[in-house]
Amino acid sequence: MGKFIYEGSIKVDFDDRVLAHLQLVIGSKLRRGEGFHFTWRDDPSIGDGRTTIWIHPQASLVYKFYGSRKPALNRAWIDALSYTANSPTGLYVVPEPAESADERMLTDEAH
Protein backbone atom coordinates (compact mmCIF):
# COMPACT_ATOMS: atom_id res chain seq x y z
CA MET A 1 0.00 0.00 0.00
CA GLY A 2 1.48 3.33 -1.08
CA LYS A 3 0.65 6.86 -0.05
CA PHE A 4 -0.10 9.97 -2.13
CA ILE A 5 0.62 13.19 -0.25
CA TYR A 6 -0.60 16.55 -1.57
CA GLU A 7 0.77 19.83 -0.20
CA GLY A 8 2.01 18.00 2.91
CA SER A 9 -1.43 17.83 4.48
CA ILE A 10 -3.69 15.63 2.36
CA LYS A 11 -2.64 11.98 2.54
CA VAL A 12 -4.41 9.08 0.90
CA ASP A 13 -3.50 5.41 0.58
CA PHE A 14 -3.40 3.69 -2.80
CA ASP A 15 -2.12 0.28 -3.77
CA ASP A 16 1.48 0.61 -5.07
CA ARG A 17 0.34 -0.54 -8.52
CA VAL A 18 -2.39 2.12 -8.68
CA LEU A 19 0.02 4.76 -7.35
CA ALA A 20 2.63 3.94 -10.03
CA HIS A 21 0.05 4.49 -12.76
CA LEU A 22 -1.21 7.70 -11.16
CA GLN A 23 2.35 9.01 -10.87
CA LEU A 24 2.93 8.51 -14.58
CA VAL A 25 -0.35 10.16 -15.63
CA ILE A 26 -0.02 13.08 -13.18
CA GLY A 27 3.61 13.62 -14.17
CA SER A 28 2.69 13.73 -17.85
CA LYS A 29 0.05 16.40 -17.25
CA LEU A 30 2.34 18.50 -15.07
CA ARG A 31 5.24 18.33 -17.56
CA ARG A 32 2.89 19.99 -20.04
CA GLY A 33 2.05 22.67 -17.46
CA GLU A 34 -1.57 21.52 -17.16
CA GLY A 35 -3.63 21.81 -14.00
CA PHE A 36 -6.54 19.42 -13.37
CA HIS A 37 -8.84 17.99 -10.72
CA PHE A 38 -8.04 14.67 -9.05
CA THR A 39 -10.87 12.92 -7.20
CA TRP A 40 -10.84 9.75 -5.12
CA ARG A 41 -13.22 7.88 -2.86
CA ASP A 42 -12.47 8.33 0.84
CA ASP A 43 -11.95 5.42 3.18
CA PRO A 44 -15.03 4.56 5.29
CA SER A 45 -12.99 5.37 8.41
CA ILE A 46 -13.05 9.07 7.45
CA GLY A 47 -16.62 9.29 6.28
CA ASP A 48 -16.84 7.29 3.03
CA GLY A 49 -17.24 10.43 0.91
CA ARG A 50 -14.93 11.68 -1.78
CA THR A 51 -12.13 14.23 -1.99
CA THR A 52 -11.23 16.42 -4.96
CA ILE A 53 -8.03 18.45 -5.19
CA TRP A 54 -6.69 20.83 -7.84
CA ILE A 55 -3.30 19.62 -9.04
CA HIS A 56 -1.10 22.23 -10.71
CA PRO A 57 2.58 22.47 -11.70
CA GLN A 58 3.54 24.28 -8.47
CA ALA A 59 1.85 21.73 -6.19
CA SER A 60 3.93 19.72 -3.74
CA LEU A 61 3.34 16.01 -4.43
CA VAL A 62 4.86 12.97 -2.77
CA TYR A 63 4.44 9.38 -3.92
CA LYS A 64 5.47 7.02 -1.12
CA PHE A 65 5.74 3.39 -2.24
CA TYR A 66 5.96 0.71 0.43
CA GLY A 67 6.95 -2.16 -1.85
CA SER A 68 10.56 -2.54 -2.95
CA ARG A 69 9.75 -3.59 -6.53
CA LYS A 70 8.52 -1.22 -9.21
CA PRO A 71 5.09 -2.44 -10.38
CA ALA A 72 4.66 -3.42 -14.04
CA LEU A 73 2.74 -0.79 -15.98
CA ASN A 74 -0.35 -1.48 -18.07
CA ARG A 75 -0.47 0.79 -21.17
CA ALA A 76 -4.26 0.35 -21.47
CA TRP A 77 -4.72 1.55 -17.88
CA ILE A 78 -2.41 4.52 -18.44
CA ASP A 79 -4.52 5.45 -21.47
CA ALA A 80 -7.77 5.08 -19.51
CA LEU A 81 -6.48 7.21 -16.62
CA SER A 82 -5.13 9.81 -19.04
CA TYR A 83 -8.54 9.96 -20.70
CA THR A 84 -10.20 10.80 -17.37
CA ALA A 85 -7.47 13.33 -16.50
CA ASN A 86 -8.20 15.16 -19.77
CA SER A 87 -11.96 15.18 -19.21
CA PRO A 88 -13.91 18.07 -17.62
CA THR A 89 -14.34 16.06 -14.40
CA GLY A 90 -10.61 15.37 -14.07
CA LEU A 91 -8.57 12.37 -12.99
CA TYR A 92 -10.13 9.54 -11.00
CA VAL A 93 -9.16 5.91 -10.61
CA VAL A 94 -10.89 3.59 -13.06
CA PRO A 95 -10.73 -0.22 -12.98
CA GLU A 96 -7.67 -1.70 -14.65
CA PRO A 97 -8.53 -2.92 -18.15
CA ALA A 98 -7.09 -6.07 -19.66
CA GLU A 99 -3.92 -5.55 -21.62
CA SER A 100 -3.34 -7.07 -25.05
CA ALA A 101 -0.26 -9.20 -25.73
CA ASP A 102 1.23 -6.42 -27.92
CA GLU A 103 0.79 -3.83 -25.17
CA ARG A 104 2.27 -6.20 -22.59
CA MET A 105 5.38 -6.66 -24.72
CA LEU A 106 5.83 -2.88 -25.05
CA THR A 107 5.45 -2.41 -21.29
CA ASP A 108 7.92 -5.22 -20.54
CA GLU A 109 10.49 -3.72 -22.91
CA ALA A 110 10.26 -0.37 -21.11
CA HIS A 111 11.55 -1.91 -17.85
Side-chain angles (χ1 to χ4, degrees):
M1 187 63 65
K3 190 171 291 292
F4 174 79
I5 305 167
Y6 178 78
E7 296 292 343
S9 60
I10 297 178
K11 301 172 183 175
V12 62
D13 292 328
F14 289 103
D15 177 82
D16 275 0
R17 183 163 170 74
V18 174
L19 192 59
H21 286 78
L22 290 172
Q23 180 182 12
L24 192 117
V25 171
I26 291 169
S28 293
K29 297 274 294 171
L30 295 179
R31 275 192 301 282
R32 293 189 300 268
E34 300 173 3
F36 57 98
H37 286 106
F38 175 29
T39 301
W40 61 83
R41 184 107 194 223
D42 294 326
D43 189 76
S45 67
I46 61 169
D48 201 26
R50 62 185 163 87
T51 298
T52 300
I53 57 174
W54 177 250
I55 295 185
H56 54 90
Q58 292 75 36
S60 172
L61 307 176
V62 176
Y63 305 89
K64 171 63 178 152
F65 295 91
Y66 289 101
S68 60
R69 293 185 182 180
K70 188 174 183 178
L73 297 175
N74 176 338
R75 170 52 61 192
W77 201 7
I78 292 166
D79 291 345
L81 291 167
S82 295
Y83 181 83
T84 68
N86 291 317
S87 73
T89 56
L91 177 62
Y92 56 92
V93 178
V94 295
E96 181 173 5
E99 193 173 33
S100 72
D102 291 340
E103 290 170 327
R104 203 168 16 260
M105 285 176 30
L106 289 173
T107 303
D108 291 342
E109 291 171 3
H111 292 292

